[in-house]
Amino acid sequence: MIFINYKRLMLLLLVFSVFQLVGFGASPKPLNIGLARVSITPETPVRLTGYSSRDIPFEGVQHELWAKAMAFGDEKKGYHIIISVDLLGIPHRVTERVRDALAKEIGISPANLSICAAHTHSGPQIGNIVSHFHKPLDPDELADISLYAMGLVPKLKGVALEAIENATPSLVSHAKGEVNFAVNRRTSINPNGVSDHSLPVMRITDLNGKTKAVMLNYACHAVTLGPKNNVVHGDWVGEAQLQVEENLPEGAIAMVVIGCGADQNSSPRMNNENPKMDLVYAKDQRKQIADEVNRMLADETWKNIRQLPEGKMKYVELTFANMPDPKKLAEDAKGAGRTSNYSLLLLGRMARSGDIPEKINYPIQVWDFGKDLVMIFLAGEVVVDYAIRLKQELGEDRVWVNAYANDMPCYIPSLRVLKEGGYEAESAMIGYEKPSKFTEDVEEIIMNGIYSILPKSSK
């Protein structure tokens, strides 16, 4: 006769149910994942972007800059590739050239490739990614910048193809931690400014559970190093990647992508009286992130991702509130300093072709990993309100938002930020050679665009 201990059976069933909720019970499913990296450190000194007061090419390399690729899929199912780059931003024309090159090689569609910039303010100037300088660049500087930008496309194509070649069956999961060094930098305008301290992490392991890669996201400007450190450096992003990789098995890759951190600064940062302290600050921020990733990796409450992503992309039109007056630009251009240089650039563009746009085409991209995760990619410098709203409306633990993705058109303010005014709403626009701030429908246009391509299960 078989005796059944019903209390014990019920307890086991309850534990099994809890395990399912936290990720144990849902059986992992192998997905084909490939990884690769390539150095994108400038080989000759060029001007660094991000701070207007730098007036000479960089004076040393403190950190290698990297492009790192994570490829999902196979030849039969097609590929989805995300590339992280240790740059201030990625111009749309570079993204398009990489997409075109990969489309010819492997037939990838635009929705299935995303390039995400780390927004380091200690990386090379690329094309028209914020002409943050007090005066026009000289011919030699322009030539060096051009050569660097021309060499970027084949490197990004190559690292994507290498990731595909390296693809092997892997297990994918995600979890969310928290780090608190980001602070809202608009508190002088709004003392109640908010931040997003969440640290979503994606983990890639082999079939035996050995970590091959982690990709993490944090919503914060990479501005810990100030302009007096005129060296190539990945800022807190580069430091975090180094420390996380040191803690992982040999050969594993750490990728960092940036959330909606356009109005968020790292703190502490930029000690102008003692610039060496900037590196101390960055290493402390590196430790905060690495410690949190370590804590998460030791915790087994990860949620398995059991399907390859499905990509969708949409462009929406964002309208500028007004067009600039050439006479006013001319008066400003007669002065000295950053804004005068901006006005001169914008005025020259108007004089050459009159092609100052009344609108821009803004790219929105969504990767649907099923019920486990939805990843949203937004271009440009997106303020934190977008991530907070998306997480409130769609679910804190399921939504992952990457900004600085695929293009760097300008700052992307919310309606609240537009009404408050200030740098992110207005004055930053001229540095991007944009005519004015956006109209007040900018937030709803972007949100409607996101919702129009979200999977039905997310709405």
Side-chain angles (χ1 to χ4, degrees), residues 109-124:
S109 68
N112 295 345
L113 172 71
S114 188
I115 306 178
C116 299
H119 201 54
T120 175
H121 283 50
S122 296

Side-chain angles (χ1 to χ4, degrees), residues 192-256:
N192 300 314
V194 294
S195 296
D196 178 6
H197 290 146
S198 63
L199 186 79
V201 180
M202 178 178 287
R203 177 178 60 177
I204 312 296
T205 74
D206 64 19
L207 298 185
N208 295 318
K210 180 181 177 182
T211 300
K212 298 164 57 179
V214 295
M215 179 171 64
L216 61 92
N217 168 296
Y218 193 54
C220 184
H221 257 70
V223 289
T224 303
L225 270 69
K228 292 187 177 181
N229 285 288
N230 188 30
V231 293
V232 174
H233 196 287
D235 209 86
W236 69 259
V237 177
E239 292 284 358
Q241 291 179 93
L242 286 172
Q243 184 64 66
V244 171
E245 288 181 353
E246 287 179 12
N247 296 343
L248 294 176
E250 185 177 357
I253 285 178
M255 301 171 64
V256 177

Side-chain angles (χ1 to χ4, degrees), residues 34-111:
L35 302 156
R37 72 170 84 204
V38 64
S39 174
I40 55 171
T41 307
E43 296 178 1
T44 57
V46 297
R47 291 286 287 273
L48 302 181
T49 192
Y51 296 114
S52 61
S53 58
R54 288 178 175 141
D55 56 6
I56 59 174
F58 69 76
E59 299 170 279
V61 176
Q62 185 83 28
H63 269 185
E64 287 284 322
L65 303 182
W66 296 96
K68 299 176 182 178
M70 182 181 294
F72 298 78
D74 53 39
E75 189 173 355
K76 181 179 179 181
K77 297 177 181 177
Y79 296 100
H80 288 70
I81 304 169
I82 182 168
I83 303 174
S84 65
V85 291
D86 294 339
L87 299 171
L88 185 83
I90 190 77
H92 189 259
R93 65 181 178 277
V94 172
T95 302
E96 286 299 302
R97 288 173 183 169
V98 177
R99 284 176 176 158
D100 290 346
L102 289 173
K104 293 177 182 177
E105 196 88 19
I106 59 172
I108 196 168
S109 68

Side-chain angles (χ1 to χ4, degrees), residues 47-56 88 119-121 123 125-137 145 185 221 223 227 337-339 341-342 345 381 408 411 423 427-433:
R47 291 286 287 273
L48 302 181
T49 192
Y51 296 114
S52 61
S53 58
R54 288 178 175 141
D55 56 6
I56 59 174
L88 185 83
H119 201 54
T120 175
H121 283 50
Q125 170 79 6
I126 303 175
N128 197 37
I129 297 297
V130 191
S131 303
H132 261 314
F133 302 113
H134 284 291
K135 60 183 180 180
L137 301 179
I145 290 169
R185 69 187 194 185
H221 257 70
V223 289
R338 183 176 67 179
T339 59
N341 188 35
Y342 291 169
L345 290 169
E381 304 210 47
M408 193 69 166
Y411 274 82
Y423 182 76
S427 57
M429 300 299 276
I430 194 170
Y432 283 98
E433 295 186 26

Side-chain angles (χ1 to χ4, degrees), residues 213-439:
V214 295
M215 179 171 64
L216 61 92
N217 168 296
Y218 193 54
C220 184
H221 257 70
V223 289
T224 303
L225 270 69
K228 292 187 177 181
N229 285 288
N230 188 30
V231 293
V232 174
H233 196 287
D235 209 86
W236 69 259
V237 177
E239 292 284 358
Q241 291 179 93
L242 286 172
Q243 184 64 66
V244 171
E245 288 181 353
E246 287 179 12
N247 296 343
L248 294 176
E250 185 177 357
I253 285 178
M255 301 171 64
V256 177
V257 289
I258 306 300
C260 297
D263 51 351
Q264 310 293 309
N265 277 350
S266 50
S267 179
R269 61 178 285 260
M270 200 163 63
N271 188 324
N272 287 326
E273 294 185 2
N274 185 5
K276 291 182 179 179
M277 286 301 298
D278 296 357
L279 293 170
V280 176
Y281 302 151
K283 289 184 184 299
D284 178 68
Q285 292 155 7
R286 147 189 181 151
K287 186 176 186 301
Q288 290 181 53
I289 286 180
D291 286 351
E292 181 67 348
V293 171
N294 274 352
R295 183 197 67 78
M296 295 169 69
L297 291 173
D299 189 348
E300 298 189 0
T301 57
W302 290 73
K303 297 178 181 178
N304 295 312
I305 294 175
R306 295 177 292 277
Q307 75 172 52
L308 295 169
E310 295 181 9
K312 290 186 178 179
M313 175 163 272
K314 181 171 186 173
Y315 286 80
V316 296
E317 288 189 337
L318 306 182
T319 305
F320 297 110
N322 50 66
M323 298 302 287
D325 180 346
K327 290 294 185 181
K328 289 183 178 180
L329 287 176
E331 286 302 311
D332 188 46
K334 293 173 184 176
R338 183 176 67 179
T339 59
S340 294
N341 188 35
Y342 291 169
S343 294
L344 182 63
L345 290 169
L346 191 57
L347 188 62
R349 184 174 174 183
M350 294 179 73
R352 286 192 303 273
S353 59
D355 67 345
I356 302 300
E358 296 181 3
K359 301 179 179 181
I360 62 168
N361 286 322
Y362 181 76
I364 298 169
Q365 188 177 25
V366 169
W367 280 12
D368 174 24
F369 288 87
K371 65 180 182 179
D372 304 304
L373 180 68
V374 60
M375 191 173 283
I376 298 166
F377 301 86
L378 299 175
E381 304 210 47
V382 186
V383 300
V384 73
D385 290 354
Y386 286 88
I388 291 174
R389 178 175 171 180
L390 285 163
K391 291 176 182 181
Q392 288 173 344
E393 294 180 2
L394 300 175
E396 177 76 22
D397 294 332
R398 185 168 177 248
V399 175
W400 177 315
V401 188
N402 298 325
Y404 303 95
N406 301 315
D407 193 12
M408 193 69 166
C410 54
Y411 274 82
I412 306 298
S414 61
L415 176 60
R416 175 184 65 84
V417 169
L418 266 180
K419 287 183 174 180
E420 290 174 355
Y423 182 76
E424 292 83 359
E426 299 182 62
S427 57
M429 300 299 276
I430 194 170
Y432 283 98
E433 295 186 26
K434 298 299 185 290
S436 75
K437 66 181 181 179
F438 286 116
T439 53

